[in-house]
Amino acid sequence: MSLLRYTLWRLAQAIPVLIGIVTITFFLANQIPGDPVEIMLGPTPAQEQVEAIRARYGLDRPIHVRYLTYLSGVATGDLGLSIYYDRPVLEMILLRLPVTLLLMLSAFAFAIVTAIPLGVLSAKRRNEPADHVSRIVSLIGVSTPSFWIGLVLIIVFAFHLGWFPARGLILPWADPADVRGAATRLEVIRQSAHHLFLPMISLGTLQMAQITRIERSSMVDSLQGEYVTLARAYGVPESTIVRKHAFQVAQLPVITIIGLGLSTALGGAVLTETVFEIQGMGRLIITAINNQDYELIMGTTLVFGFVYVIGVIITDVTYSYLDPRVTYGDD
Amino acid sequence: MSEPLLSVENLKTQFFTEDGTVRAVDGISFDVHEGEIVGLVGESGAGKSVATSSLLRLVESPGEIVGGEITFKGRTLFGLEEDASGELRPRDDMLSEEEMRREIRGREIAIIFQDPMESLNPVFTVGGQLREFIELNRDLSEKEAKREAIDMLREVGIPAPETRYDEYPHQFSGGMRQRVLIAMALACQPDLIIADEPTTALDVTVEGQILEMVKELQTKYDTSFIWVTHDMSVVAEICDRVNVMYLGEIIEHATVDDLFYDTKHPYTRALLDSMPRPDETVHELNPIEGVMPEAIDPPAGCRFHSRCPDAREVCREVHPEPRDLADEGEPTHRAACVKYDAFDVGYDESRPIEGDAAGGFGAGLTRTGGEE
């Protein structure tokens, strides 16, 4: 099987998983005590009003009918209507998802760009001062909650020093006309980066710390490999050995950690978005739950599940691309 | 005889561990001439592999070469001298680390490791690894190196080398991988190849085929070999001259015929006796009693005395350096055992050691008990 076919096959396998997510979320959401219509209309609504709203959102039909309707809706790309926002769920998600993705991708970019050199350096200089520093930094990183880092960053860099804004996020592709103080695209991007910096560090630190630790231990192992000794015995320069011979073998566990990190980062994004008052998926899902907005809860959960599944597939595909020993399951 | 290709004089490599200094290689001397296969034999832990990695100066921390001299084709791979204050420092003519890497490793001296499963990098193609080393050590272009790699794979008996070139190590069997490693060594066209137990991990039929092939290619390319092994039958098969190592020292050196038919050192004798033979049952096997003592605190006197059936009191006190015991006009045959007249330290008058070292497994372990 080729890599492309393998990827498509893995994507096809994701469909039952997603159906499972939809089903579980649907029934769980509907089991939450309370009534969205009540939240919407207050404690003493008129009976006709309630019935009209129920009919409008399809809440008057039996649960299995609603389930099947919802499932067929998902298949055609219709995620229903948000009760709280009174807008299609898909529209809300498309509005918020890019914000969260931007936050997550920048956090991971920050984590990978810092963690890999740090881990490699740590492994190369094992038990030397550079290694100790990097290990202490990553130990602190793994054991500090991201919202706390966010708060400290806000207090120090936004409040006291005033270097970065404390709240909000500007998308780099936003229309310059909508962004205050920005006349050109470049200005928008600059402002976007300015806003993104603190949340990125806040969300990325945990990933950075985890990746550093794995990178270090994996490189230590790989540098002790017999193939590294062989390369040395054949006169390969030390820099090439670290960069090529040891490095490529060492990346396999690192990729797994990055892939799994995607799911923890989603959780972290919810907190980071709350701390920095960013209108992303994380805050959307909290609003949905607080208001028992069934369709929105299901829609956002489905998206989180989807991102997670995609993360796993990317991990597997990258793994099989990097490690020739991984077969595509056909022999 | 002509100038040797490689000559090792009193080489000492030690490991500085928390438990103390491990004298892994403790003053060995040997040489290798052009076109010959020299064996380095001994039990596990005798220091064979440390000796070979010392030759390429690849000993890793906490290990360090602390003394001796290694000369290869007139160049000093290792050598120390005393400066004015009596401190040891590297001699001026000793090659720098960079020169070792560029001019010696791979290019002049190549190595084949014991474990073909671990020696090849699992994420690169076999051909790619071969090509990289050829490119590096023969200054060929990528294209020429690839052609050379494929030719060499064919030479070591790998079928369909053009296809196998693009395959990964896990797609090769153990024997095939070892052939790849041999191809790697030969393709760099070194003058000396160090083979560190290259057939130990293979089954005997494959081992036989590979030994055959190496002999053929050795004649064809006229490459010298240092063949490290613990297997006396491999020695008999392939070596011209043999050095037997015990606990960091070379205790006997002879041509392969002399070693087998005119064995001098009791340790060599014991090694030969412990070889399984088709005409004997397992019960008739005669293993060496005891275990090799730690190199961290080697026994005083002769290091083998704690396990030696011929040991006498004098063996505890006198530490013998190897001496030539060959008759006039015969090839050198050195051994380090005081029972020969050449040593003349009173072996004949000395009493056998109490509690007979050959008396059982425990004898080797309680060696400190009898010292007084």
Side-chain angles (χ1 to χ4, degrees):
Chain A
M1 219 189 289
S2 71
L3 199 61
L4 179 68
R5 276 188 60 197
Y6 174 69
T7 313
L8 293 176
W9 171 235
R10 288 306 311 268
L11 282 172
Q13 281 180 323
I15 292 171
V17 175
L18 291 174
I19 293 178
I21 294 174
V22 171
T23 308
I24 294 171
T25 329
F26 182 87
F27 288 105
L28 274 182
N30 276 283
Q31 286 307 310
I32 304 175
D35 187 342
V37 182
E38 215 167 85
I39 296 173
M40 221 169 148
L41 298 175
T44 51
Q47 192 60 32
E48 304 83 62
Q49 226 180 339
V50 172
E51 267 159 29
I53 297 277
R54 288 190 167 275
R56 181 183 154 129
Y57 293 102
L59 295 171
D60 54 345
R61 289 172 298 161
I63 193 162
H64 65 273
V65 176
R66 279 167 54 208
Y67 170 66
L68 290 177
T69 317
Y70 184 70
L71 208 56
S72 62
V74 170
T76 55
D78 175 14
L79 297 178
L81 210 56
S82 159
I83 304 173
Y84 180 77
Y85 290 100
D86 199 22
R87 287 165 75 180
V89 170
L90 191 64
E91 198 185 302
M92 287 310 295
I93 288 173
L94 289 181
L95 199 65
R96 300 291 191 90
L97 188 59
V99 177
T100 302
L101 285 184
L102 177 69
L103 181 59
M104 277 183 48
L105 288 182
S106 56
F108 269 89
F110 157 73
I112 292 169
V113 164
T114 49
I116 290 183
L118 207 57
V120 170
L121 181 80
S122 211
K124 188 79 195 78
R125 308 250 162 100
R126 193 146 78 110
N127 296 329
E128 290 175 32
D131 182 26
H132 297 314
V133 170
S134 121
R135 283 163 78 183
I136 290 168
V137 167
S138 53
L139 188 66
I140 294 172
V142 230
S143 36
T144 316
S146 65
F147 70 87
W148 188 83
I149 297 179
L151 289 174
V152 171
L153 289 177
I154 288 176
I155 292 170
V156 176
F157 293 99
F159 187 68
H160 283 297
L161 296 172
W163 292 353
F164 296 98
R167 52 185 295 268
L169 193 65
I170 294 166
L171 294 174
W173 52 84
D175 189 346
D178 298 342
V179 179
R180 211 184 327 148
T184 59
R185 166 72 41 213
L186 203 67
E187 275 286 291
V188 176
I189 292 176
R190 200 192 61 78
Q191 281 211 24
S192 173
H194 200 210
H195 274 85
L196 196 55
F197 192 76
L198 293 185
M200 171 187 88
I201 303 232
S202 160
L203 183 59
T205 304
L206 172 69
Q207 307 303 331
M208 191 261 296
Q210 268 173 347
I211 299 170
T212 307
R213 287 161 69 90
I214 298 294
E215 180 73 55
R216 175 186 181 273
S217 65
S218 187
M219 272 302 278
V220 165
D221 274 357
S222 144
L223 278 170
Q224 283 167 350
E226 187 103 322
Y227 45 84
V228 165
T229 319
L230 189 78
R232 283 201 187 111
Y234 277 87
V236 178
E238 199 59 30
S239 58
T240 314
I241 289 177
V242 173
R243 225 180 43 238
K244 181 180 166 191
H245 297 250
F247 185 75
Q248 195 151 338
V249 182
Q251 294 327 295
L252 303 171
V254 176
I255 284 160
T256 313
I257 281 298
I258 294 176
L260 294 176
L262 278 175
S263 64
T264 38
L266 275 174
V270 174
L271 294 172
T272 310
E273 285 173 11
T274 309
V275 171
F276 288 92
E277 295 181 45
I278 294 167
Q279 300 295 332
M281 282 296 286
R283 296 194 80 196
L284 191 63
I285 204 167
I286 287 176
T287 313
I289 292 169
N290 284 341
N291 294 289
Q292 284 211 1
D293 191 338
Y294 293 146
E295 313 275 285
L296 194 56
I297 293 177
M298 291 185 291
T300 44
T301 312
L302 190 62
V303 169
F304 271 44
F306 188 69
V307 171
Y308 185 61
V309 169
I310 294 289
V312 171
I313 293 177
I314 292 175
T315 311
D316 284 359
V317 170
T318 320
Y319 213 107
S320 55
Y321 173 72
L322 277 186
D323 190 348
R325 290 166 297 183
V326 174
T327 60
Y328 303 132
D330 55 351
D331 56 18
Chain B
M1 232 185 224
S2 60
E3 206 41 23
L5 184 69
L6 171 86
S7 105
V8 177
E9 208 57 58
N10 201 21
L11 178 70
K12 287 183 182 176
T13 304
Q14 302 181 343
F15 286 79
F16 299 95
T17 69
E18 281 175 18
D19 298 331
T21 304
V22 180
R23 295 150 73 154
V25 172
D26 206 18
I28 62 169
S29 307
F30 67 96
D31 48 28
V32 179
H33 290 270
E34 232 164 90
E36 68 174 351
I37 301 186
V38 174
L40 203 55
V41 196
E43 282 169 277
S44 308
K48 311 182 296 277
S49 291
V50 177
T52 53
S53 42
S54 300
L55 297 184
L56 286 170
R57 283 194 12 218
L58 282 172
V59 182
E60 280 177 50
S61 165
E64 202 187 321
I65 308 176
V66 294
E69 199 179 322
I70 307 169
T71 317
F72 177 81
K73 284 171 57 175
R75 308 182 71 179
T76 308
L77 303 194
F78 187 83
L80 299 175
E81 64 184 2
E82 273 182 30
D83 64 12
S85 60
E87 295 272 311
L88 284 175
R89 62 179 178 86
R91 266 172 27 200
D92 290 339
D93 59 345
M94 179 171 130
L95 297 188
S96 70
E97 177 57 29
E98 187 62 13
E99 285 169 322
M100 280 299 291
R101 184 179 73 67
R102 274 179 198 283
E103 296 164 27
I104 303 296
R105 293 179 197 145
R107 195 174 286 253
E108 293 281 7
I109 306 178
I111 195 159
I112 305 167
F113 285 127
Q114 172 173 4
D115 194 342
M117 303 292 167
E118 304 290 331
S119 299
L120 290 168
N121 194 316
V123 302
F124 297 113
T125 62
V126 161
Q129 299 183 48
L130 207 49
R131 199 203 65 220
E132 181 186 9
F133 293 165
I134 296 174
E135 247 182 277
L136 195 67
N137 289 312
R138 286 182 54 193
D139 307 314
L140 294 179
S141 71
E142 196 177 315
K143 224 172 137 193
E144 292 166 319
K146 178 176 178 176
R147 199 172 43 232
E148 191 65 32
I150 290 174
D151 284 348
M152 203 41 91
L153 286 175
R154 188 178 295 114
E155 190 89 88
V156 295
I158 288 176
E162 289 88 355
T163 338
R164 304 294 296 212
Y165 181 88
D166 289 318
E167 290 183 7
Y168 288 92
H170 72 277
Q171 291 163 299
F172 284 66
S173 69
M176 283 296 163
R177 285 189 222 187
Q178 199 53 281
R179 284 173 197 262
V180 170
L181 288 170
I182 293 169
M184 203 174 260
L186 286 168
C188 293
Q189 298 188 339
D191 284 334
L192 176 65
I193 294 177
I194 300 169
D196 190 353
E197 306 217 32
T199 57
T200 305
L202 307 175
D203 63 64
V204 275
T205 24
V206 179
E207 176 173 62
Q209 291 166 6
I210 289 199
L211 291 179
E212 262 324 296
M213 179 192 84
V214 167
K215 272 205 285 197
E216 242 168 66
L217 292 176
Q218 192 261 341
T219 322
K220 179 169 172 186
Y221 290 94
D222 200 31
T223 315
S224 307
F225 276 80
I226 295 176
W227 201 277
V228 179
T229 180
H230 62 262
D231 188 341
M232 279 295 188
S233 55
V234 172
V235 172
E237 181 78 25
I238 203 161
C239 294
D240 299 313
R241 289 187 301 131
V242 193
N243 297 287
V244 183
M245 275 189 88
Y246 184 79
L247 213 59
E249 297 180 323
I250 289 177
I251 49 95
E252 182 160 6
H253 162 89
T255 62
V256 72
D257 284 346
D258 281 352
L259 192 83
F260 278 82
Y261 298 111
D262 182 22
T263 315
K264 298 283 192 210
H265 200 284
Y267 175 64
T268 316
R269 177 80 267 146
L271 267 188
L272 289 170
D273 286 344
S274 64
M275 257 167 68
R277 284 167 45 178
D279 58 336
E280 284 177 350
T281 66
V282 171
H283 301 292
E284 288 170 278
L285 253 182
N286 194 4
I288 309 176
E289 299 294 344
V291 289
M292 190 155 57
E294 296 283 335
I296 209 163
D297 178 26
C302 170
R303 291 190 179 171
F304 188 56
H305 82 252
S306 59
R307 300 164 81 189
C308 180
D310 300 340
R312 297 201 179 171
E313 291 292 343
V314 66
C315 299
R316 278 191 189 153
E317 288 140 28
V318 180
H319 179 250
E321 291 296 330
R323 289 187 193 177
D324 196 354
L325 306 173
D327 295 329
E328 199 78 25
E330 290 196 353
T332 320
H333 188 157
R334 284 198 304 269
C337 179
V338 294
K339 75 177 183 180
Y340 294 100
D341 294 340
F343 285 87
D344 193 25
V345 290
Y347 176 84
D348 292 332
E349 297 79 43
S350 184
R351 284 183 303 117
I353 291 181
E354 293 290 327
D356 191 6
F361 179 72
L365 298 173
T366 56
R367 63 189 159 75
T368 45
E371 267 172 66
E372 206 78 59

